[in-house]
Amino acid sequence: MEKFSDPVRITDSIELGSDKLVLFSGPCAAESLELCIEVGEQVKSICQKLDIAYVFKASFDKANRTSVNSYRGQGLEKGLKILETVKSKLNVPVVTDIHESYQAAEVATVADVLQIPAFLCRQTDLLIAAANTGKMVKVKRGQFMAPEDMQYAVSKVKDSGNPNVCLTERGVSFGYHNLVVDMRALPTMRQYAPVVFDVTHSVQQPGGQGGTSGGQRQFAPFLARAASAVGVDGFFIESHPNPSKALSDGPNMIPLNEMEGFLKMLKEVWTLGRQYVI
């Protein structure tokens, strides 16, 4: 099966789809500057040790929470200020979600990558607005989307004049409150653009705790190794020093003190698997 033609640019020094593994990682929500700095510093240090390119991730708004009473984040103004400080202090690129077209231009003044949530992957105006910023657009595959249909999301970005687009796999709905990852989706989508595997949301149980989402992080290493062997260009992994205290998606985040061992394992399998991936 053929793959995408060229790597895509994140920054002048980081490409996705080249010979270097890229990690998008941080806490689910930008709960505070202190949390973001703590997670970002430690993950950056691990990535430097393992020769992994690092992009810091946190959301300024979690607009798709299960309940209206769930924590959403710091909001656009305060959230972007946190991301800007992390970017400057740690000297790392950042990625964050946008949910509305009007957010794209303002978020692009700080973020290097604009992430399109899975539920919004068909929203043409949102994709075009993100594309028009010139930043890399990271589109998550909807839980309801066939992998081959993601080529049209890629086309919406590229036809807007932006070649820097990638796709992210996070599992598809398998009955209520459950997701399953079809590994065939990875090479299928990789025909159209570089592919990132979202480790932590693939073990999420959407709405599975009665008003909040659950998760089965014990399965994260198995899915991550499988994706490494099948062939992906990067990984998306959320982490927190104390997931049980996290304000969103705690059940599926990887504890910060386990990240070094997790990433070391992942890099070893990815390097081996890369030999067999076109």
Side-chain angles (χ1 to χ4, degrees):
M1 188 173 284
E2 296 296 322
K3 73 170 181 109
F4 57 89
S5 56
D6 297 302
V8 299
R9 182 182 61 82
I10 296 175
T11 67
D12 289 341
S13 59
I14 301 178
E15 289 185 329
L16 181 70
S18 64
D19 292 331
K20 187 162 186 172
L21 180 60
V22 179
L23 174 71
F24 302 84
S25 182
C28 177
E31 299 174 19
S32 68
L33 175 60
E34 293 74 21
L35 171 69
C36 290
I37 292 294
E38 179 184 2
V39 176
E41 279 184 334
Q42 291 194 41
V43 177
K44 178 185 177 181
S45 177
I46 295 166
C47 286
Q48 287 176 330
K49 194 182 304 183
L50 298 176
D51 192 30
I52 297 171
Y54 177 50
V55 181
F56 175 82
K57 182 272 167 185
S59 298
F60 61 84
D61 181 22
K62 303 300 294 183
N64 54 356
R65 298 302 305 276
T66 303
S67 169
V68 72
N69 297 315
S70 297
Y71 177 79
R72 286 185 54 163
Q74 295 283 346
L76 185 61
E77 183 178 349
K78 291 182 179 179
L80 282 185
K81 186 63 179 176
I82 289 174
L83 292 174
E84 186 175 37
T85 303
V86 170
K87 180 176 180 176
S88 174
K89 185 169 183 178
L90 300 186
N91 191 29
V92 294
V94 300
V95 57
T96 195
D97 310 271
I98 59 171
H99 297 85
E100 304 281 353
S101 299
Y102 76 85
Q103 296 174 337
E106 186 172 357
V107 172
T109 64
V110 174
D112 302 273
V113 181
L114 302 184
Q115 180 166 273
I116 308 300
F119 289 137
L120 301 176
C121 68
R122 288 174 57 107
Q123 296 297 102
T124 301
D125 290 346
L126 183 62
L127 288 164
I128 291 174
N132 287 341
T133 67
K135 297 300 180 75
M136 191 178 102
V137 183
K138 181 176 180 289
V139 188
K140 287 194 171 187
R141 176 163 81 105
Q143 297 92 326
F144 46 86
M145 290 287 287
E148 58 270 20
D149 289 344
M150 292 305 294
Q151 65 182 296
Y152 304 112
V154 171
S155 294
K156 288 175 183 179
V157 176
K158 289 186 173 181
D159 290 349
S160 300
N162 187 343
N164 296 307
V165 57
C166 73
L167 296 172
T168 298
E169 170 63 31
R170 57 139 311 151
V172 293
S173 295
F174 187 67
Y176 301 119
H177 307 312
N178 200 16
L179 299 171
V180 66
V181 177
D182 180 357
M183 291 295 164
R184 298 173 299 179
L186 303 178
T188 298
M189 294 196 298
R190 208 164 173 263
Q191 295 175 95
Y192 320 123
V195 170
V196 174
F197 182 62
D198 182 344
V199 175
T200 40
H201 288 99
S202 291
V203 297
Q204 186 187 59
Q205 294 175 310
Q209 292 185 338
T212 61
S213 291
Q216 296 176 307
R217 77 167 64 93
Q218 69 269 26
F219 293 116
F222 302 101
L223 291 180
R225 288 197 294 269
S228 294
V230 172
V232 292
D233 304 283
F235 289 91
F236 180 99
I237 304 175
E238 290 182 337
S239 182
H240 194 284
N242 188 351
S244 65
K245 300 290 186 181
L247 299 180
S248 64
D249 273 355
N252 41 275
M253 282 198 277
I254 304 300
L256 186 57
N257 63 2
E258 296 179 13
M259 280 292 283
E260 183 165 358
F262 194 101
L263 290 175
K264 184 175 184 295
M265 170 271 295
L266 207 56
K267 178 68 184 296
E268 290 174 354
V269 180
W270 183 83
T271 300
L272 178 62
R274 205 69 171 171
Q275 300 176 47
Y276 304 98
V277 177
I278 297 175

